[in-house]
Each structure stands twice: as structure tokens, then as C-alpha cells.
């Protein structure tokens, strides 16, 4: 299973965002510290900025840089001119998109894709094919694409319409129709709040590639969050194929480069996720942090925060006193609780200093 980070390409589709070339290049260089197999850089046919970002990152990143193109010769030419390692062809395949986006039949789109895939290969890049709205397309039509094209194929949930149970059943049906899922990739959107779960289900079926985006930055509700997918795979005992100890600092660096921030309660990245203040929590976590944690933040380059204040209980106060080798008498416990209530919330080091003073 290989991850393709699509942050740089997807984030620019947000309606209220505008990033400079330098911002996107800096974010791409940050992402490269994860040792990702693929980084999707941009859509070169759109304009000079997209071409510059893609060409610059192709020169600088160890990851294979992906440029996207529609099924037209000029798009593919623009992508090839950047020197991108991979040119990914986007082809609508659902009945709705064929009728309302391109006004052509599926067979016509497949014929066009054949021509452009040949153009990509002739241009010296690796071709990938994304079937837009694939998860709302009859499985037999998708299976026929795997028979017809000898390149990696990404099946997209373009409008974020699918759930984990549907994705699992759909991919099993493709396998039953003879599709080798090790040639398949998946691209999800989070409109139903299911993108990360869908990505994890797809990984369990054996697909080769999963598209992810830091903090879910992307069109509408975004994509599977890079940090969530990596963390969940590790928690399940799997190998996400990236430098896990760089996950959180890399994601933060990429967000800083783009001038983005995350909600304090954002899974994995939000500061409240690894901050513990409840009296019963801090008491137990002073003895064993895993008591109230799904994962050790240090595994992914982060850190936990234990916070002490008015909500701190007697058990936690005793443990703080014991940490600094002070006898936890009832009087000292009450004095420490009063100090914490007056001066808190404070983090562990300052709480220990207060404990040492009483």
C-alpha cells in the first residue's frame, strides 16, 4: 500500500484560498520528509503557477511528483513539459458525469484515455488513470477499464457519496470480476465524514495507492487526512510506508508553509487531542500515560500535555508530591490543590515545581 499526498493539488480548489508558488513549494518540501511514494503537485494546464510548482518540486523532491491532466492532448503536453514523474489522467466515467460534464459516452472516454496514455509514455512519464466518480459507476464498467489499460488505475469517490460498507462491498465485487486490486488506487472525499474510514477499508482490501491530504485540506469537505490514515494504520499493526516519527512535525510544517491552521480538537494534530486536564485522567496518566491515550504522540513526532489546575484531584496531587519526593500528607495535598487552583492551569513541569514548594 502506497500513499499519494494530494494536499498541494486539492487545497487550491478551496473557494477561499490562494497560495503563492513559494508557499506550495515549501509545503511540498516539508511533505517530502515523510518519504512519501507520491506527491501530487498540480494541474499544469491551468496556468504558469501550476507549471512552476510542479516543475520545481519534480527537481527537488525524492517522492515521485504527480501532475494531473484531463483527457486532452494539450493538458498532457503541459504536464509532460514540467518533467513530472507521473502524469495522471482524469477521465469521467459515471453516467451523470458523462452526460453533464463531457457529453460523451464511456467508450469514447476510454478511447481518448488510450491515446493520452500512449502520449504520456512517449513523453517519458509514468501514466496513471483516475476514473472520476468511479464509485458511482457500475462495477463491470470499472472492471473493463482494468482489462483495457495496463497502468495503475485510481477509482474516485469524487463527490464523497460512499460509506465504508459500500466501499468494501464495491472493491470485493471488483475483485470477484477479476480486477487485481494491487493495481488499484482510491481517492475519497469527506462530504459524509467517511473519507478516512473509507481509505482504511480500502487498504484492508489490498489496494495499492491511497490518496491523502494533510488535515484533510481539499475541495469541499476535503480528503482522507494524511495524519489520520498513517496513525490508524500504525495502530492496527500495519506499515504505512512513510517516516512515522516525522508525521506530526511534517504536517505542521506543511500547514505553516500554506498559512493554514487546524481546530484545537482536530484528530491527531489538534493541541487538545494530546492535552489532559481532567483530575481522574491526569492522576492515572502520571502512572501510565496510555490509560487515556489511543497512541503515544511521540511515536509520530508529537508530545502530550498534562495540565493541572482547579480540576486536579487529590490522587493527582499525591502523585505530583511523590514525583518530587515530598511526603504526601493531607496538609500538603490540600495546599498543593489550593496552589494549582489559584495558579493553574499549568503544565507538568510547573506543577512539579509547585509540589516541590509546599
Amino acid at each position: 500500500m502506497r500513499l499519494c499526498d494530494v494536499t498541494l493539488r486539492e487545497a487550491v480548489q478551496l473557494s477561499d484560498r490562494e497560495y503563492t508558488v513559494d508557499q506550495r513549494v515549501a509545503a511540498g518540501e516539508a511533505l517530502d520528509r515523510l518519504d512519501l511514494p507520491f506527491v501530487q503537485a498540480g494541474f499544469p494546464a491551468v496556468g504558469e503557477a501550476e507549471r512552476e510548482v510542479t516543475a520545481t518540486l519534480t527537481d527537488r523532491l525524492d517522492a515521485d511528483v504527480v501532475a494531473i491532466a484531463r483527457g486532452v492532448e494539450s493538458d498532457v503536453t503541459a504536464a509532460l513539459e514540467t518533467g513530472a514523474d507521473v502524469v495522471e489522467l482524469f477521465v469521467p466515467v459515471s453516467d451523470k458525469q458523462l452526460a453533464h460534464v463531457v457529453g460523451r459516452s464511456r467508450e469514447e472516454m476510454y478511447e481518448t484515455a488510450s491515446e493520452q496514455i500512449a502520449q504520456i509514455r512517449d513523453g517519458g512519464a509514468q501514466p496513471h488513470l483516475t476514473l472520476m466518480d468511479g464509485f458511482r459507476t457500475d462495477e463491470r464498467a470499472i472492471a473493463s477499464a482494468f482489462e483495457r489499460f495496463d497502468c495503475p488505475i485510481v477509482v474516485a469517490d469524487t463527490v464523497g457519496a460512499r460509506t465504508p460498507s459500500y466501499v468494501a462491498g464495491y472493491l470485493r465485487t471488483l475483485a470477484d470480476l477479476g480486477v487485481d486490486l494491487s493495481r488499484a488506487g482510491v481517492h475519497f472525499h469527506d462530504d459524509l465524514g467517511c473519507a478516512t474510514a473509507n481509505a482504511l477499508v480500502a487498504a484492508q482490501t489490498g489496494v495499492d495507492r491511497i490518496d491523502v491530504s494533510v488535515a484533510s485540506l481539499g475541495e469541499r469537505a476535503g480528503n482522507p487526512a494524511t495524519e489520520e490514515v498513517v496513525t490508524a494504520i500504525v495502530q492496527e499493526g500495519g506499515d504505512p510506508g512513510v517516516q512515522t516519527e516525522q508525521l506530526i512535525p511534517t504536517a505542521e510544517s506543511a500547514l505553516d508553509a500554506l498559512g493554514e491552521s487546524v481546530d484545537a480538537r482536530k484528530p491527531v494534530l489538534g493541541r487538545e487531542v494530546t492535552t489532559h486536564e481532567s483530575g481522574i485522567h491526569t492522576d492515572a496518566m502520571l502512572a501510565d500515560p496510555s490509560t487515556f491515550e489511543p497512541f503515544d504522540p511521540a511515536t509520530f513526532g508529537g508530545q502530550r500535555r498534562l495540565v493541572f489546575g482547579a480540576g486536579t484531584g487529590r490522587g493527582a496531587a499525591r502523585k505530583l508530591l511523590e514525583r518530587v519526593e515530598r511526603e504526601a500528607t493531607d496538609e500538603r495535598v490540600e495546599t498543593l490543590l489550593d496552589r494549582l487552583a489559584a495558579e493553574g492551569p499549568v503544565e507538568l513541569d510547573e506543577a512539579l515545581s509547585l509540589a516541590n514548594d509546599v
Side-chain angles (χ1 to χ4, degrees), residues 231-291:
T231 304
I233 288 173
V234 171
Q235 288 302 102
E236 291 180 344
D239 180 7
V242 299
Q243 296 295 324
T244 55
E245 71 279 3
Q246 294 294 321
L247 177 65
I248 292 174
T250 292
E252 291 174 340
S253 294
L255 291 170
D256 286 345
L258 295 173
E260 296 286 352
S261 61
V262 296
D263 186 274
R265 297 176 65 244
K266 173 74 175 67
V268 182
L269 294 181
R271 78 175 178 276
E272 293 297 334
V273 175
T274 52
T275 298
H276 306 271
E277 185 174 4
S278 167
I280 189 172
H281 288 193
T282 51
D283 181 6
M285 292 182 73
L286 283 167
D288 181 357
S290 67
T291 305

Short mmCIF file of all heavy atoms in Angstrom, two decimals, residues 231-291:
data_model
loop_
_atom_site.label_atom_id
_atom_site.label_comp_id
_atom_site.label_asym_id
_atom_site.label_seq_id
_atom_site.Cartn_x
_atom_site.Cartn_y
_atom_site.Cartn_z
N THR A 231 -1.65 7.26 11.22
CA THR A 231 -1.75 6.87 12.62
C THR A 231 -2.62 5.63 12.79
O THR A 231 -2.27 4.70 13.54
CB THR A 231 -2.34 8.03 13.45
OG1 THR A 231 -1.53 9.19 13.28
CG2 THR A 231 -2.38 7.67 14.93
N ALA A 232 -3.74 5.58 12.10
CA ALA A 232 -4.64 4.43 12.22
C ALA A 232 -4.00 3.15 11.69
O ALA A 232 -4.16 2.08 12.29
CB ALA A 232 -5.95 4.70 11.48
N ILE A 233 -3.29 3.25 10.59
CA ILE A 233 -2.62 2.06 10.05
C ILE A 233 -1.60 1.53 11.03
O ILE A 233 -1.50 0.31 11.27
CB ILE A 233 -1.98 2.37 8.68
CG1 ILE A 233 -3.06 2.54 7.62
CG2 ILE A 233 -1.00 1.26 8.26
CD1 ILE A 233 -2.54 3.01 6.28
N VAL A 234 -0.83 2.43 11.64
CA VAL A 234 0.15 2.00 12.64
C VAL A 234 -0.54 1.37 13.83
O VAL A 234 -0.10 0.33 14.36
CB VAL A 234 1.03 3.19 13.08
CG1 VAL A 234 1.90 2.82 14.28
CG2 VAL A 234 1.90 3.67 11.93
N GLN A 235 -1.65 1.97 14.28
CA GLN A 235 -2.37 1.42 15.43
C GLN A 235 -2.90 0.02 15.15
O GLN A 235 -3.06 -0.79 16.07
CB GLN A 235 -3.54 2.34 15.80
CG GLN A 235 -3.11 3.65 16.44
CD GLN A 235 -2.29 3.44 17.70
OE1 GLN A 235 -1.07 3.58 17.68
NE2 GLN A 235 -2.94 3.09 18.78
N GLU A 236 -3.18 -0.26 13.88
CA GLU A 236 -3.66 -1.60 13.51
C GLU A 236 -2.52 -2.58 13.27
O GLU A 236 -2.76 -3.73 12.89
CB GLU A 236 -4.53 -1.50 12.25
CG GLU A 236 -5.86 -0.79 12.49
CD GLU A 236 -6.71 -0.71 11.24
OE1 GLU A 236 -6.17 -0.92 10.13
OE2 GLU A 236 -7.92 -0.45 11.37
N GLY A 237 -1.29 -2.12 13.47
CA GLY A 237 -0.15 -3.00 13.28
C GLY A 237 0.37 -3.04 11.86
O GLY A 237 1.21 -3.88 11.52
N GLY A 238 -0.10 -2.13 11.00
CA GLY A 238 0.33 -2.10 9.61
C GLY A 238 1.49 -1.15 9.39
O GLY A 238 1.96 -0.46 10.29
N ASP A 239 1.95 -1.12 8.16
CA ASP A 239 3.07 -0.27 7.76
C ASP A 239 2.57 0.72 6.71
O ASP A 239 2.28 0.33 5.58
CB ASP A 239 4.21 -1.11 7.19
CG ASP A 239 5.40 -0.26 6.75
OD1 ASP A 239 5.39 0.95 7.00
OD2 ASP A 239 6.34 -0.83 6.15
N PRO A 240 2.48 2.01 7.06
CA PRO A 240 2.00 3.00 6.08
C PRO A 240 3.05 3.39 5.05
O PRO A 240 2.76 4.15 4.13
CB PRO A 240 1.62 4.19 6.96
CG PRO A 240 2.53 4.09 8.13
CD PRO A 240 2.73 2.62 8.37
N GLY A 241 4.28 2.89 5.22
CA GLY A 241 5.31 3.14 4.22
C GLY A 241 5.87 4.54 4.23
O GLY A 241 6.39 5.01 3.21
N VAL A 242 5.80 5.23 5.38
CA VAL A 242 6.35 6.58 5.49
C VAL A 242 7.12 6.69 6.81
O VAL A 242 7.07 5.78 7.65
CB VAL A 242 5.24 7.67 5.45
CG1 VAL A 242 4.49 7.61 4.13
CG2 VAL A 242 4.29 7.53 6.63
N GLN A 243 7.82 7.81 6.98
CA GLN A 243 8.57 8.05 8.21
C GLN A 243 7.61 8.50 9.31
O GLN A 243 7.32 9.69 9.45
CB GLN A 243 9.65 9.10 7.96
CG GLN A 243 10.72 8.69 6.97
CD GLN A 243 11.55 7.52 7.49
OE1 GLN A 243 11.83 7.42 8.69
NE2 GLN A 243 11.94 6.64 6.59
N THR A 244 7.10 7.55 10.07
CA THR A 244 6.05 7.87 11.03
C THR A 244 6.49 8.86 12.09
O THR A 244 5.70 9.68 12.56
CB THR A 244 5.53 6.59 11.71
OG1 THR A 244 6.64 5.89 12.29
CG2 THR A 244 4.85 5.69 10.70
N GLU A 245 7.77 8.80 12.50
CA GLU A 245 8.23 9.71 13.56
C GLU A 245 8.29 11.16 13.09
O GLU A 245 8.44 12.07 13.90
CB GLU A 245 9.61 9.27 14.07
CG GLU A 245 10.77 9.50 13.12
CD GLU A 245 10.90 8.43 12.06
OE1 GLU A 245 10.04 7.51 12.02
OE2 GLU A 245 11.85 8.50 11.26
N GLN A 246 8.15 11.38 11.79
CA GLN A 246 8.13 12.73 11.24
C GLN A 246 6.71 13.23 10.95
O GLN A 246 6.53 14.36 10.48
CB GLN A 246 8.93 12.76 9.92
CG GLN A 246 10.41 12.50 10.07
CD GLN A 246 11.09 13.62 10.85
OE1 GLN A 246 10.78 14.80 10.68
NE2 GLN A 246 12.01 13.25 11.72
N LEU A 247 5.72 12.41 11.26
CA LEU A 247 4.35 12.71 10.81
C LEU A 247 3.83 14.05 11.31
O LEU A 247 3.43 14.92 10.52
CB LEU A 247 3.41 11.59 11.26
CG LEU A 247 1.93 11.80 10.91
CD1 LEU A 247 1.73 11.80 9.40
CD2 LEU A 247 1.06 10.73 11.57
N ILE A 248 3.79 14.25 12.62
CA ILE A 248 3.18 15.46 13.17
C ILE A 248 4.01 16.71 12.84
O ILE A 248 3.45 17.70 12.34
CB ILE A 248 2.92 15.31 14.68
CG1 ILE A 248 1.81 14.26 14.90
CG2 ILE A 248 2.54 16.64 15.32
CD1 ILE A 248 1.56 13.92 16.36
N PRO A 249 5.33 16.71 13.06
CA PRO A 249 6.08 17.92 12.69
C PRO A 249 6.05 18.23 11.20
O PRO A 249 6.02 19.41 10.81
CB PRO A 249 7.51 17.63 13.18
CG PRO A 249 7.57 16.18 13.44
CD PRO A 249 6.18 15.75 13.77
N THR A 250 6.00 17.19 10.37
CA THR A 250 5.92 17.43 8.92
C THR A 250 4.58 18.04 8.55
O THR A 250 4.51 19.00 7.77
CB THR A 250 6.13 16.11 8.15
OG1 THR A 250 7.48 15.68 8.32
CG2 THR A 250 5.85 16.29 6.67
N ALA A 251 3.50 17.50 9.10
CA ALA A 251 2.18 18.06 8.82
C ALA A 251 2.10 19.51 9.28
O ALA A 251 1.56 20.38 8.57
CB ALA A 251 1.10 17.21 9.50
N GLU A 252 2.65 19.78 10.46
CA GLU A 252 2.62 21.16 10.97
C GLU A 252 3.44 22.09 10.08
O GLU A 252 3.04 23.24 9.83
CB GLU A 252 3.14 21.17 12.41
CG GLU A 252 2.19 20.50 13.40
CD GLU A 252 2.76 20.38 14.79
OE1 GLU A 252 4.00 20.47 14.95
OE2 GLU A 252 1.97 20.19 15.73
N SER A 253 4.59 21.60 9.59
CA SER A 253 5.42 22.43 8.71
C SER A 253 4.71 22.73 7.40
O SER A 253 4.77 23.86 6.88
CB SER A 253 6.75 21.73 8.44
OG SER A 253 7.53 21.62 9.60
N ALA A 254 4.04 21.72 6.85
CA ALA A 254 3.30 21.93 5.59
C ALA A 254 2.17 22.94 5.80
O ALA A 254 1.95 23.83 4.96
CB ALA A 254 2.75 20.61 5.08
N LEU A 255 1.46 22.82 6.91
CA LEU A 255 0.38 23.76 7.20
C LEU A 255 0.91 25.17 7.41
O LEU A 255 0.33 26.15 6.94
CB LEU A 255 -0.41 23.29 8.43
CG LEU A 255 -1.23 22.02 8.26
CD1 LEU A 255 -1.75 21.54 9.61
CD2 LEU A 255 -2.38 22.23 7.29
N ASP A 256 2.04 25.28 8.12
CA ASP A 256 2.65 26.60 8.34
C ASP A 256 3.04 27.24 7.01
O ASP A 256 2.84 28.45 6.81
CB ASP A 256 3.88 26.48 9.24
CG ASP A 256 3.52 26.21 10.69
OD1 ASP A 256 2.35 26.40 11.06
OD2 ASP A 256 4.42 25.80 11.45
N ALA A 257 3.60 26.43 6.12
CA ALA A 257 4.03 26.96 4.82
C ALA A 257 2.84 27.53 4.04
O ALA A 257 2.96 28.53 3.33
CB ALA A 257 4.72 25.87 4.01
N LEU A 258 1.68 26.89 4.19
CA LEU A 258 0.48 27.33 3.47
C LEU A 258 -0.31 28.38 4.25
O LEU A 258 -1.33 28.87 3.75
CB LEU A 258 -0.42 26.12 3.18
CG LEU A 258 0.16 25.06 2.24
CD1 LEU A 258 -0.76 23.85 2.18
CD2 LEU A 258 0.40 25.63 0.84
N GLY A 259 0.15 28.69 5.45
CA GLY A 259 -0.59 29.66 6.27
C GLY A 259 -1.89 29.09 6.80
O GLY A 259 -2.83 29.85 7.10
N GLU A 260 -1.95 27.78 6.97
CA GLU A 260 -3.16 27.12 7.45
C GLU A 260 -3.00 26.72 8.92
O GLU A 260 -1.89 26.53 9.41
CB GLU A 260 -3.44 25.86 6.63
CG GLU A 260 -3.75 26.11 5.17
CD GLU A 260 -5.14 26.69 4.95
OE1 GLU A 260 -5.92 26.76 5.93
OE2 GLU A 260 -5.45 27.06 3.81
N SER A 261 -4.10 26.59 9.59
CA SER A 261 -4.11 26.11 10.97
C SER A 261 -5.22 25.07 11.09
O SER A 261 -6.03 24.90 10.18
CB SER A 261 -4.34 27.26 11.95
OG SER A 261 -5.59 27.89 11.70
N VAL A 262 -5.25 24.39 12.22
CA VAL A 262 -6.29 23.39 12.45
C VAL A 262 -7.02 23.70 13.75
O VAL A 262 -6.48 24.35 14.64
CB VAL A 262 -5.71 21.96 12.50
CG1 VAL A 262 -5.10 21.58 11.17
CG2 VAL A 262 -4.69 21.81 13.63
N ASP A 263 -8.24 23.21 13.83
CA ASP A 263 -9.01 23.33 15.05
C ASP A 263 -8.28 22.61 16.19
O ASP A 263 -7.63 21.58 15.98
CB ASP A 263 -10.40 22.71 14.84
CG ASP A 263 -11.30 22.94 16.03
OD1 ASP A 263 -11.25 22.13 16.98
OD2 ASP A 263 -12.06 23.92 16.03
N ALA A 264 -8.40 23.15 17.38
CA ALA A 264 -7.71 22.56 18.54
C ALA A 264 -8.13 21.12 18.79
O ALA A 264 -7.37 20.35 19.40
CB ALA A 264 -7.97 23.41 19.78
N ARG A 265 -9.31 20.73 18.33
CA ARG A 265 -9.80 19.37 18.56
C ARG A 265 -9.67 18.48 17.32
O ARG A 265 -10.25 17.40 17.26
CB ARG A 265 -11.25 19.43 19.05
CG ARG A 265 -11.37 20.16 20.38
CD ARG A 265 -12.82 20.33 20.85
NE ARG A 265 -13.43 19.06 21.13
CZ ARG A 265 -14.47 18.55 20.47
NH1 ARG A 265 -15.00 19.23 19.46
NH2 ARG A 265 -14.97 17.39 20.79
N LYS A 266 -8.89 18.92 16.33
CA LYS A 266 -8.67 18.12 15.13
C LYS A 266 -7.93 16.84 15.50
O LYS A 266 -6.90 16.89 16.16
CB LYS A 266 -7.83 18.91 14.12
CG LYS A 266 -7.40 18.12 12.90
CD LYS A 266 -8.56 17.90 11.95
CE LYS A 266 -8.11 17.22 10.66
NZ LYS A 266 -7.66 15.84 10.84
N PRO A 267 -8.45 15.66 15.11
CA PRO A 267 -7.76 14.41 15.44
C PRO A 267 -6.29 14.45 15.03
O PRO A 267 -5.92 14.97 13.98
CB PRO A 267 -8.53 13.37 14.62
CG PRO A 267 -9.91 13.93 14.53
CD PRO A 267 -9.72 15.42 14.40
N VAL A 268 -5.45 13.92 15.89
CA VAL A 268 -4.00 13.77 15.74
C VAL A 268 -3.27 15.10 15.84
O VAL A 268 -2.33 15.24 16.63
CB VAL A 268 -3.62 13.05 14.44
CG1 VAL A 268 -2.08 12.86 14.36
CG2 VAL A 268 -4.31 11.69 14.32
N LEU A 269 -3.67 16.12 15.08
CA LEU A 269 -2.92 17.37 15.01
C LEU A 269 -3.36 18.43 16.01
O LEU A 269 -2.57 19.29 16.40
CB LEU A 269 -3.00 17.97 13.60
CG LEU A 269 -2.34 17.20 12.47
CD1 LEU A 269 -2.49 17.96 11.16
CD2 LEU A 269 -0.87 16.93 12.76
N GLY A 270 -4.61 18.42 16.44
CA GLY A 270 -5.12 19.45 17.34
C GLY A 270 -4.48 19.38 18.71
O GLY A 270 -4.27 18.29 19.25
N ARG A 271 -4.18 20.54 19.31
CA ARG A 271 -3.46 20.53 20.59
C ARG A 271 -4.30 19.92 21.70
O ARG A 271 -3.75 19.34 22.65
CB ARG A 271 -3.01 21.95 20.96
CG ARG A 271 -4.07 22.84 21.52
CD ARG A 271 -3.53 24.19 22.00
NE ARG A 271 -4.62 25.01 22.48
CZ ARG A 271 -5.38 25.76 21.69
NH1 ARG A 271 -5.13 25.80 20.39
NH2 ARG A 271 -6.39 26.46 22.18
N GLU A 272 -5.64 20.01 21.63
CA GLU A 272 -6.46 19.46 22.70
C GLU A 272 -6.47 17.93 22.69
O GLU A 272 -6.78 17.31 23.71
CB GLU A 272 -7.90 19.98 22.58
CG GLU A 272 -8.06 21.46 22.84
CD GLU A 272 -7.68 21.85 24.26
OE1 GLU A 272 -7.78 20.99 25.16
OE2 GLU A 272 -7.29 23.00 24.47
N VAL A 273 -6.12 17.34 21.55
CA VAL A 273 -6.16 15.87 21.44
C VAL A 273 -5.15 15.22 22.37
O VAL A 273 -5.37 14.13 22.89
CB VAL A 273 -5.92 15.44 19.98
CG1 VAL A 273 -5.85 13.93 19.85
CG2 VAL A 273 -7.03 15.99 19.09
N THR A 274 -4.02 15.88 22.59
CA THR A 274 -2.98 15.32 23.45
C THR A 274 -2.80 16.15 24.73
O THR A 274 -1.75 16.09 25.36
CB THR A 274 -1.64 15.22 22.70
OG1 THR A 274 -1.33 16.49 22.11
CG2 THR A 274 -1.73 14.17 21.60
N THR A 275 -3.84 16.91 25.08
CA THR A 275 -3.83 17.68 26.33
C THR A 275 -4.82 17.05 27.29
O THR A 275 -5.97 16.78 26.93
CB THR A 275 -4.23 19.15 26.07
OG1 THR A 275 -3.26 19.75 25.21
CG2 THR A 275 -4.28 19.93 27.38
N HIS A 276 -4.37 16.80 28.53
CA HIS A 276 -5.21 16.11 29.52
C HIS A 276 -5.24 16.93 30.80
O HIS A 276 -4.21 17.21 31.39
CB HIS A 276 -4.64 14.71 29.80
CG HIS A 276 -4.45 13.89 28.56
ND1 HIS A 276 -5.44 13.08 28.05
CD2 HIS A 276 -3.40 13.82 27.72
CE1 HIS A 276 -4.98 12.51 26.94
NE2 HIS A 276 -3.76 12.93 26.72
N GLU A 277 -6.45 17.32 31.22
CA GLU A 277 -6.59 18.16 32.40
C GLU A 277 -7.52 17.56 33.44
O GLU A 277 -7.39 17.84 34.62
CB GLU A 277 -7.10 19.55 32.00
CG GLU A 277 -7.17 20.53 33.16
CD GLU A 277 -7.53 21.93 32.72
OE1 GLU A 277 -7.81 22.13 31.53
OE2 GLU A 277 -7.54 22.83 33.58
N SER A 278 -8.46 16.72 33.04
CA SER A 278 -9.40 16.14 33.99
C SER A 278 -8.66 15.47 35.14
O SER A 278 -7.67 14.77 34.94
CB SER A 278 -10.28 15.11 33.27
OG SER A 278 -10.99 14.33 34.20
N GLY A 279 -9.16 15.69 36.35
CA GLY A 279 -8.49 15.16 37.52
C GLY A 279 -8.25 13.66 37.45
O GLY A 279 -7.15 13.18 37.71
N ILE A 280 -9.27 12.91 37.07
CA ILE A 280 -9.12 11.46 37.02
C ILE A 280 -8.15 11.04 35.92
O ILE A 280 -7.42 10.06 36.04
CB ILE A 280 -10.49 10.77 36.85
CG1 ILE A 280 -10.35 9.25 37.03
CG2 ILE A 280 -11.10 11.11 35.49
CD1 ILE A 280 -11.68 8.54 37.07
N HIS A 281 -8.10 11.82 34.84
CA HIS A 281 -7.20 11.49 33.74
C HIS A 281 -5.74 11.73 34.13
O HIS A 281 -4.89 10.86 33.94
CB HIS A 281 -7.53 12.34 32.50
CG HIS A 281 -8.80 11.92 31.83
ND1 HIS A 281 -9.14 12.36 30.57
CD2 HIS A 281 -9.81 11.12 32.23
CE1 HIS A 281 -10.31 11.84 30.22
NE2 HIS A 281 -10.74 11.10 31.22
N THR A 282 -5.46 12.92 34.66
CA THR A 282 -4.07 13.23 34.98
C THR A 282 -3.55 12.32 36.09
O THR A 282 -2.37 11.96 36.10
CB THR A 282 -3.91 14.70 35.38
OG1 THR A 282 -4.86 15.02 36.40
CG2 THR A 282 -4.12 15.60 34.18
N ASP A 283 -4.40 11.96 37.03
CA ASP A 283 -4.00 11.04 38.09
C ASP A 283 -3.51 9.73 37.49
O ASP A 283 -2.39 9.27 37.76
CB ASP A 283 -5.20 10.79 39.01
CG ASP A 283 -4.86 9.86 40.17
OD1 ASP A 283 -3.67 9.50 40.32
OD2 ASP A 283 -5.78 9.48 40.92
N ALA A 284 -4.32 9.12 36.61
CA ALA A 284 -3.95 7.85 36.01
C ALA A 284 -2.77 8.00 35.07
O ALA A 284 -1.89 7.13 35.02
CB ALA A 284 -5.15 7.27 35.25
N MET A 285 -2.71 9.10 34.33
CA MET A 285 -1.66 9.25 33.33
C MET A 285 -0.30 9.54 33.93
O MET A 285 0.74 9.30 33.30
CB MET A 285 -2.04 10.33 32.31
CG MET A 285 -3.23 9.91 31.45
SD MET A 285 -3.65 11.14 30.21
CE MET A 285 -2.30 10.93 29.06
N LEU A 286 -0.26 10.05 35.15
CA LEU A 286 1.02 10.19 35.83
C LEU A 286 1.64 8.83 36.10
O LEU A 286 2.86 8.68 36.15
CB LEU A 286 0.84 10.97 37.14
CG LEU A 286 0.68 12.48 36.98
CD1 LEU A 286 0.20 13.12 38.29
CD2 LEU A 286 2.00 13.11 36.54
N ALA A 287 0.78 7.82 36.26
CA ALA A 287 1.28 6.46 36.47
C ALA A 287 1.52 5.75 35.15
O ALA A 287 2.55 5.08 34.97
CB ALA A 287 0.27 5.66 37.31
N ASP A 288 0.59 5.89 34.20
CA ASP A 288 0.71 5.21 32.90
C ASP A 288 -0.04 6.03 31.86
O ASP A 288 -1.26 5.99 31.79
CB ASP A 288 0.12 3.80 32.99
CG ASP A 288 0.25 3.04 31.67
OD1 ASP A 288 0.74 3.62 30.68
OD2 ASP A 288 -0.14 1.86 31.63
N PRO A 289 0.68 6.78 31.04
CA PRO A 289 0.02 7.68 30.08
C PRO A 289 -0.95 6.99 29.14
O PRO A 289 -1.92 7.60 28.68
CB PRO A 289 1.20 8.28 29.30
CG PRO A 289 2.35 8.20 30.24
CD PRO A 289 2.14 6.92 31.00
N SER A 290 -0.71 5.72 28.82
CA SER A 290 -1.58 5.03 27.86
C SER A 290 -2.98 4.79 28.39
O SER A 290 -3.87 4.40 27.65
CB SER A 290 -0.96 3.70 27.45
OG SER A 290 -0.93 2.78 28.54
N THR A 291 -3.19 5.04 29.71
CA THR A 291 -4.51 4.81 30.29
C THR A 291 -5.60 5.59 29.57
O THR A 291 -6.71 5.10 29.39
CB THR A 291 -4.50 5.22 31.79
OG1 THR A 291 -3.44 4.53 32.45
CG2 THR A 291 -5.82 4.87 32.44
#
